Amino acid sequence: MKRSRLPAFITFGVILFLFAPLVVLVVNSFNASRFGGEWEGFTWNWYEKLWAAGEIWESLWITLKIALSASLAAMVLGTLAAYTLHRFRSWLQNVHHMLITLPLVMPDILMGMSLLALFVLTGVETGLLTIWIAHVTFCLSFVTMVVLGRLQDFDFTLLDAARDLGATQVTAVKKVLLPLLLPGVLAGGLLAFTLSIDDYVITFFVSGPGTTTLPLRVASMMKTSRSLPMINALSTLLIASTFLFAALSSRLQRRA
């Protein structure tokens, strides 16, 4: 019986639908045309202007600081949360699991509004701290799910064997548990880092004066046509970075 080519055509169509806009954006970042309506020749001009745009790099530095610190905090808290959820069974852990998974299904706009209402109620001034707390909140869930998946295949008899050989509980965790979990923890951290860099909706609600992250800066630049070519160049660099982090995260998960 002859195989149908319909699945292949559908797969190709889905891939084309998803990646065609990205290809157009990357091509326009090298287009001499300011508006990208037609090809007017190859140029590096937009990348040169991007390099000289100090406000963009300032926003990038703020974004990287928040993303790195939030990812590190989420890696620690997410690993502890995943270990607790895996090792203990009670109604309290069921509530814990629900709270961990809630940010995964909650709309970003609702989460941003909820966090803003909490900060206003408690009198916390919006700024870097509130952005960091918000990013840790949603990054924590992703790290927990990744590490929890790693723990489901983990052989805890290795810890018992280490204890039988004379290792203390702290030593067994440090020498056995953490090294074996490390690829999964790093994969979750890279995922959290990528999500933190790209976040716009939640950051929009909890940011304050002088804390304009890169997504917020790009959104404001979109209002002027003069900035569109630089946005294409910046987006091309961000796409390349995102693919790099995603590939590294995927490789770490396969190793785990």
Side-chain angles (χ1 to χ4, degrees):
M1 179 181 293
K2 187 176 180 180
R3 284 187 176 182
S4 173
R5 295 185 178 180
L6 182 60
F9 284 123
I10 293 176
T11 302
F12 178 77
V14 171
I15 294 175
L16 183 64
F17 175 78
L18 293 175
F19 289 97
L22 299 182
V23 174
V24 172
L25 186 147
V26 172
V27 171
N28 277 327
S29 70
F30 301 101
N31 188 0
S33 173
R34 174 174 293 180
F35 304 102
E38 60 182 13
W39 182 260
E40 295 184 3
F42 182 88
T43 182
W44 291 98
N45 185 42
W46 311 125
Y47 288 90
E48 294 173 358
K49 289 187 175 182
L50 176 64
W51 181 257
E55 69 279 1
I56 294 179
W57 299 111
E58 181 182 354
S59 299
L60 177 61
W61 174 239
I62 294 174
T63 302
L64 290 176
K65 285 195 298 184
I66 295 173
L68 182 59
S69 58
S71 300
L72 291 174
M75 287 168 64
V76 175
L77 297 176
T79 302
L80 294 175
Y83 183 81
T84 303
L85 289 172
H86 183 78
R87 292 292 285 176
F88 302 101
R89 296 288 187 270
S90 66
W91 67 269
L92 183 61
Q93 292 306 320
N94 293 333
V95 175
H96 183 198
H97 190 272
M98 181 190 68
L99 293 176
I100 288 293
T101 56
L102 190 60
L104 300 176
V105 297
M106 181 183 296
D108 287 348
I109 188 170
L110 180 58
M111 187 171 181
M113 293 172 60
S114 303
L115 288 169
L116 177 60
L118 175 64
F119 295 142
V120 171
L121 182 64
T122 55
V124 179
E125 185 178 356
T126 55
L128 283 177
L129 178 61
T130 55
I131 297 176
W132 181 80
I133 293 173
H135 284 216
V136 172
T137 302
F138 68 80
C139 288
L140 170 63
S141 300
F142 289 93
V143 176
T144 302
M145 292 298 105
V146 173
V147 178
L148 194 58
R150 176 70 183 102
L151 284 170
Q152 290 175 354
D153 298 328
F154 188 82
D155 186 7
F156 280 91
T157 58
L158 295 174
L159 295 179
D160 297 332
R163 295 294 303 277
D164 291 339
L165 292 174
T168 63
Q169 185 173 358
V170 175
T171 303
V173 170
K174 185 189 301 184
K175 298 294 185 180
V176 179
L177 180 62
L178 289 181
L180 293 176
L181 287 182
L182 186 59
V185 175
L186 292 178
L190 288 174
L191 178 60
F193 184 80
T194 304
L195 293 171
S196 178
I197 286 180
D198 293 340
D199 182 73
Y200 170 78
V201 177
I202 297 176
T203 306
F204 174 78
F205 283 97
V206 299
S207 62
T211 56
T212 303
T213 61
L214 191 59
L216 297 180
R217 178 71 66 184
V218 170
S220 65
M221 291 170 61
M222 288 290 293
K223 300 176 182 178
T224 60
S225 60
R226 189 174 298 177
S227 302
L228 289 179
M230 279 199 303
I231 293 176
N232 292 335
L234 177 62
S235 300
T236 300
L237 298 178
L238 290 177
I239 290 171
S241 302
T242 301
F243 274 107
L244 178 63
F245 281 118
L248 184 57
S249 176
S250 177
R251 183 170 183 179
L252 288 172
Q253 289 188 42
R254 287 198 301 268
R255 285 189 59 188

